[in-house]
Amino acid sequence: MPTTPQPLTDNDLPHLRHCLKLAEEALAAGDEPFGSVLVGDNGEVLATARNRVNELNNLAHPEIELVRWAGENLSAEERKGATVYTSGEHCPMCAAAHGWLGLGAIVYLSSAQQLQQWLKEAGAPAAPITFLPVQELIVGAEVRGPGSGELLEQIRALQLRRHARSGG
């Protein structure tokens, strides 16, 4: 049975702020505002990535980049202890890659359900997939999120700016 996401901790907030900065960079580059940070079990930032869908292709999500990096640079034990912080909950593609590689916890600022609502508010086209909570896709996933308050409002504002009534 899927687990219920847990609330964020004070230790999560600096990494989620970093994700927001990466999402801002993605938006400034003309891409969708998503950013992710891979953190080792000692709290050290191991790798960062931002959305590059417009630069590369529709698979260039930051979580996929971090999964690829972890697969090439970390042992199975290190991957298990690592945490992926991200501005938005993993899509099913990213969640599957995360699960198959055996990465540890997922901490997200905004949920896929929230993103869908924001896109609807902005008049953006619907996604071509069905979003599911990551804990329904990854067996035994440790999940924290979504955020609240100012950080959540900042990512919402970035998403609305990207998709404002232009339909994109």
Side-chain angles (χ1 to χ4, degrees), residues 33-58:
F34 292 98
S36 301
V37 178
L38 182 66
V39 176
D41 64 0
N42 62 358
E44 176 187 0
V45 173
L46 302 172
T48 65
R50 67 165 179 83
N51 216 39
R52 295 186 185 280
V53 169
N54 285 352
E55 294 175 37
L56 301 173
N57 61 53
N58 286 346

Side-chain angles (χ1 to χ4, degrees), residues 27 30-32 54 118-126 158-168:
L27 184 60
D31 218 320
E32 295 183 29
N54 285 352
W118 300 337
L119 295 179
K120 188 176 178 180
E121 286 174 29
L158 289 176
Q159 289 292 347
L160 290 176
R161 190 170 354 143
R162 168 66 172 99
H163 297 285
R165 297 280 171 212
S166 66

